[in-house]
Structure formats: C-alpha cells, structure tokens
Amino acid sequence: MVNMPYIIYEILDIFHKASFFALSLQAALVVLVIWLILHKNKSNEKTKNLSAGEKAAILANWTPEPLVGDTPLNHPALSPRLVTSRVGKRITVEGQDCLNLGTHNYLGLLEDQDIQEDAIRSLKKYGVGSCGPRGFYGTVDVHLELEEKLAEFMNMEEAVVYSYGFSTIASAIPAYAKRTDICFVDEEVNFAIQKGLDASRSTVIYFRHNDMKDLEDKLIEQSIKDKKNPKKAARTRKFLIAEGIYMNTGEMCPLAELIRLRKAYKVRFFLDESITFGTMGATGRGLTEHLNVDRNEIDLISASLEWAVATIGGFCVGSSFIVDHQRLSGLGYCFSASCPPLLTQAALSALDKFNKHPELFSEIQEASRKVQKKLENLSKLTLRGNPISPVKHLYLKEAKSTKAEVTAMSDIVEKCISRGLCLVNSQYLGHIEKKCPRPSIRITVNRLLSDEDIVFVYETLESVCKEVLC
C-alpha cells in the first residue's frame, strides 16, 4: 500500500528546498499549458458550429501555396546548354566543338589517361559506392589512404575528406563557430562560406574586400567592447575567414597581413584554398607555399578536390584535435554518403602526379600570366584577377544597369560558343548573396592552353564584343 502522508511530506519537502525562481518558472509553465489547452478548445468551437455549406465555401476559396514559385521565362535553367562530349580542354556544346575556358580543370587532369585507368580499376574492385556516411559503413580503405596522403602532402597532422566540395567549408565553419561567437569575414567570400556562416548562427562582421585597415578597425572596435564586458568576452570565440584566391574576384588575399592580425587580436583563422590548392607554390601546396607562410599559423585549411584535382569532394587539414572534431560535428561528413571509391582513387592518383611532376604548377602559373597579359588588351572589357590566378573575371568597361550588363554578357557568351569558344557567365543568387558581385564572364585557365589558343581567345572576344557592344 502507498503511504499517502509520506508522499505528501516528500512533495512538501521538494517545494521547501526548491528556489523561488524554479517554483515561479514551473508555475508559469503550468499556466501557459492551461491557457494553450483552453485556447485550442475555443478555436475548435468556432469551426464546430459551421454549417456544411460554410465549410464547403471555405474549402472552395482556399488556394494552396505552390511548392515552387513562378519561374521567369528567360531563366537559364529553362534553356540549359547541352554538352555531348567528355569535358576537357575542348568540349562539344550544342554540337559546336569549343575551346573550353569554362571548366575549373586547371591542370587538365580530367584528360589524364593514367588517372582514368586507376579509377576504372578501383571501380572493378569496389563498385560504384558505399551509399553510406563515413561514420557508419561508408569508410573504405581508399578514404583513409587519401586522408593520410593529404595530411602528408600538406605537412599537417591530420586531414578529413568530405564527399562534396561545397559542403566542405560550409560544414567546417558551423562545426566550430556557434551562436555566441563572432566571425570576421571578407565581404567577397564565396557562397559556400556564406552558407556555412548562416548555419553557424554566429555574429558575422564583414570587412571590405582585402582591406586590412578596415579589418583592423573592426577588430579594435570589438576589443573595446570586450574590455567593457570581460565575462561575455571570455565566452565568445572569434574567427577570421578568408579565401586564398577569391572565386568572386580572382584576387589573392593578403595572407601575411591576415596572420599578423590573427596573432595581434587572438582570433582563430580559417583559410579556403580551393583555387590555390594544386595551382600555387612550387609543388602545388597552395598559397601558404607560394608566400612561404608556416601552415601552423592557420588553424584550419580547407580546399575542394573538384578543381585542380579533377575529382569530387573536398578536405580540411590542421592539427589532430581540430580535425577530429569534424568527424562528430561536420554535418557534411556525418550525414552525407562517402565519396565513391573510384573518385577517391582518382584523387590519390592526382596527388601522385603532384609529387612526381612539379612542373604542372609552373605551367598553370605561366598559362595564367599569358592569359592575363593578353586579355588586358581587350578594348571593350576590363579584366580582374591576380596574374597567376587560374580564375579571372571580365567586366564591361562602360558600366550599365545590372539587367543591361547581364543581357550583354549573355549575348557575348552565346556568340563566343557559336564561334568555338566556351565561356560561362558568373551566376549568383542575387536575393541571397551577402554582396552580389557585378555581372561578369568568368575565365578559367587550363595549363594545356597553347599560345595559339590564347590568341584565339583574345581575337574571338574582341570581335564578338565589337558586334554586341557597338
């Protein structure tokens, strides 16, 4: 039998020991639950008394919201350009054989026969893929080998491989930065970084593109706020996020200055080397090698495997305790199916090429310089980008409205394709981007470009621009 007096005594003892705040909170929750129940009943009473005709009228007048909003008739997705060949230095677009300056195949490894044969052997051994995340049954031995090789290549303690390039930095940022933290970010960062910042829900402070004075002013301003509230400052982590070469501008970040500010103001530094990995430095190890910067000065380096390496996925390298954290907190690592083994093997084969053929990197840098020097002479377009960057942007010299510039750029690209030169317009989500860049044609350089190819690019662009922009 239950001893009722004892139970009452225990309940009274709990109330006696509980704080006033706890009792107040519990009482407020009880009142809220009662109010919600009564309010729900009142709402139900309103609909209970409706006649059959009134209910039918409500249903007849109800219009469901469309799953997808109206799409403009001129939207690019409604008229895609069809590619009917393997992607490489040359590509067939809508039946037209073109020189390809629209694919991020900087080193030309998409056409490498040895890598293709290695991938085919891997396909025969492992099949297409595991169809599972890395933490469950998605890890194959080639994944572990690739992580080991990447860490060794970058001379860092550990690496973690993601199965999708976009999700690499977009997952790495929210794995560390949280709601109470602060991120100092260049205003021209790519969309993947912006999505990572959104997912982190941290406070984002944008500084002007490559403007170190503006960044330092914002860091000083934050330091003054921290001194006024040291308890809050002790709980707030600060991050600095930049790209080695910015996808949206083709310009190189002032890495030495960023590291100086990182030390002076004690912030954590993340660097996305998606464009610079495999293109910069004497051995392709990125901007840190090109500028002779110690990689240990950077807390986390990320890069895509989808460009210079010519496969899919991405990776992060850093110290063991930093990288290990992503295996439990990086959403793109935890919940995405692992990279197919054949494409992981392609990355391993590409890294082997990096080690055996360092001339690849001097060739892409030289090709980028030649393209820069030639396209700077265009009469109707302005070129933007670092001379050795494989990514460059062309803008109209005479500024127009955004709509007029988009139309003009699209016309130029269409005519160039019809004459055997494949280019692409830079595509942005204007209503979502933090700072939507000016419309441009994005040029991607391939190390296989000959001098004759570069002259052809210049002459085609010059001729088409005179027709379109007359």
Side-chain angles (χ1 to χ4, degrees):
M1 292 290 292
V2 178
N3 191 339
M4 293 301 295
Y6 176 76
I7 294 175
I8 295 171
Y9 170 78
E10 286 294 318
I11 294 172
L12 291 174
D13 186 56
I14 291 171
F15 276 94
H16 178 71
K17 291 179 179 179
S19 66
F20 175 75
F21 173 77
L23 291 173
S24 301
L25 180 61
Q26 291 170 7
L29 289 174
V30 170
V31 172
L32 178 61
V33 170
I34 293 171
W35 181 85
L36 288 173
I37 293 171
L38 294 176
H39 181 73
K40 183 180 179 182
N41 289 338
K42 288 181 179 178
S43 300
N44 291 338
E45 286 175 5
K46 292 179 182 178
T47 56
K48 276 181 184 178
N49 299 325
L50 291 176
S51 65
E54 288 173 326
K55 290 179 180 179
I58 291 173
L59 290 173
N61 293 327
W62 177 70
T63 304
E65 187 175 340
L67 293 175
V68 179
D70 293 335
T71 303
L73 294 177
N74 61 347
H75 194 281
L78 298 179
S79 54
R81 300 185 183 97
L82 297 181
V83 176
T84 55
S85 69
R86 177 177 290 178
V87 176
K89 175 185 171 181
R90 302 201 69 85
I91 187 173
T92 303
V93 184
E94 300 288 357
Q96 175 69 50
D97 177 57
C98 298
L99 179 66
N100 184 10
L101 266 71
T103 303
H104 295 268
N105 179 30
Y106 310 137
L107 301 181
L109 298 185
L110 277 174
E111 302 166 86
D112 190 280
Q113 194 64 34
D114 294 335
I115 294 177
Q116 290 176 20
E117 290 174 0
D118 287 345
I120 291 170
R121 281 194 291 271
S122 179
L123 176 63
K124 291 177 179 178
K125 179 179 179 180
Y126 298 104
V128 175
S130 64
C131 301
R134 287 287 305 276
F136 294 89
Y137 47 87
T139 296
V140 183
D141 54 1
V142 287
H143 294 126
L144 300 177
E145 185 181 355
L146 178 58
E147 289 176 341
E148 182 182 345
K149 294 289 186 183
L150 283 168
E152 180 184 342
F153 182 77
M154 294 296 286
N155 194 27
M156 302 294 279
E157 289 183 7
E158 198 164 342
V160 58
V161 170
Y162 287 78
S163 57
Y164 181 31
F166 186 96
S167 70
T168 303
I169 189 64
S171 297
I173 292 173
Y176 304 98
K178 304 300 180 185
R179 185 189 293 274
T180 57
D181 299 329
I182 298 173
C183 296
F184 296 89
V185 187
D186 190 293
E187 66 182 3
E188 293 283 3
V189 291
N190 62 51
F191 193 59
I193 291 177
Q194 293 178 41
K195 290 294 97 184
L197 293 168
D198 288 345
S200 74
R201 298 180 296 176
S202 55
T203 300
V204 182
I205 299 175
Y206 287 97
F207 60 90
R208 289 193 293 272
H209 181 49
N210 278 347
D211 189 334
M212 294 300 97
K213 184 180 183 308
D214 186 48
L215 171 58
E216 187 161 19
D217 288 344
K218 287 177 167 56
L219 288 167
I220 291 171
E221 184 180 344
Q222 184 60 43
S223 297
I224 294 170
K225 291 179 181 178
D226 291 344
K227 288 177 182 178
K228 292 179 180 178
N229 192 346
K231 287 186 177 180
K232 181 181 178 182
R235 299 191 303 269
T236 302
R237 294 172 300 177
K238 302 174 188 67
F239 298 86
L240 175 59
I241 300 171
E243 292 178 71
I245 285 180
Y246 290 89
M247 174 60 67
N248 290 345
T249 67
E251 295 173 338
M252 189 182 294
C253 76
L255 185 58
E257 275 295 292
L258 288 169
I259 289 175
R260 180 186 70 80
L261 293 174
R262 173 242 179 198
K263 288 181 179 178
Y265 296 93
K266 296 180 175 58
V267 297
R268 296 166 172 85
F269 184 21
F270 290 179
L271 181 67
D272 183 8
E273 290 224 54
S274 291
I275 296 176
T276 49
F277 178 74
T279 62
M280 293 288 166
T283 59
R285 286 169 169 81
L287 190 60
T288 50
E289 182 184 42
H290 177 69
L291 298 177
N292 195 27
V293 170
D294 184 0
R295 290 184 200 92
N296 291 312
E297 297 287 356
I298 303 166
D299 296 282
L300 187 74
I301 295 175
S302 69
S304 173
L305 294 170
E306 298 175 2
W307 297 342
V309 184
T311 180
I312 69 166
F315 69 92
C316 294
V317 290
S319 61
S320 293
F321 72 90
I322 287 179
V323 170
D324 273 344
H325 179 73
Q326 291 183 60
R327 300 188 192 279
L328 295 175
S329 301
L331 299 181
Y333 179 90
C334 294
F335 299 109
S336 295
S338 61
C339 184
L342 77 155
L343 294 171
T344 306
Q345 180 58 55
L348 281 166
S349 301
L351 277 181
D352 190 49
K353 291 275 183 184
F354 284 14
N355 288 318
K356 292 181 179 178
H357 300 282
E359 69 275 7
L360 293 172
F361 313 112
S362 59
E363 288 173 4
I364 180 59
Q365 291 167 24
E366 183 60 24
S368 297
R369 287 191 187 94
K370 288 179 178 178
V371 170
Q372 180 90 9
K373 186 175 180 181
K374 193 66 178 177
L375 297 190
E376 282 178 341
N377 298 319
L378 289 168
S379 61
K380 302 286 187 179
L381 300 174
T382 299
L383 184 68
R384 184 181 187 183
N386 188 278
I388 61 172
S389 168
V391 174
K392 307 176 191 297
H393 288 261
L394 289 169
Y395 304 89
L396 297 182
K397 275 191 176 179
E398 296 182 8
K400 301 180 180 180
S401 67
T402 300
K403 186 176 180 180
E405 288 193 348
V406 168
T407 301
M409 291 299 187
S410 297
D411 290 344
I412 291 171
V413 167
E414 288 291 343
K415 285 186 176 292
C416 283
I417 290 175
S418 68
R419 298 188 187 187
L421 174 60
C422 179
L423 301 175
V424 295
N425 298 104
S426 297
Q427 299 290 337
Y428 305 106
L429 298 172
H431 61 293
I432 300 177
E433 299 264 0
K434 170 60 183 174
K435 181 187 176 185
C436 193
R438 184 183 171 195
S440 67
I441 295 172
R442 186 173 61 231
I443 300 289
T444 52
V445 181
N446 187 312
R447 75 173 181 90
L448 301 177
L449 292 175
S450 65
D451 292 344
E452 292 75 16
D453 291 330
I454 295 171
V455 170
F456 169 74
V457 172
Y458 168 77
E459 290 178 347
T460 303
L461 275 168
E462 185 71 3
S463 174
V464 167
C465 288
K466 286 180 179 178
E467 290 181 22
V468 174
L469 306 174
C470 58

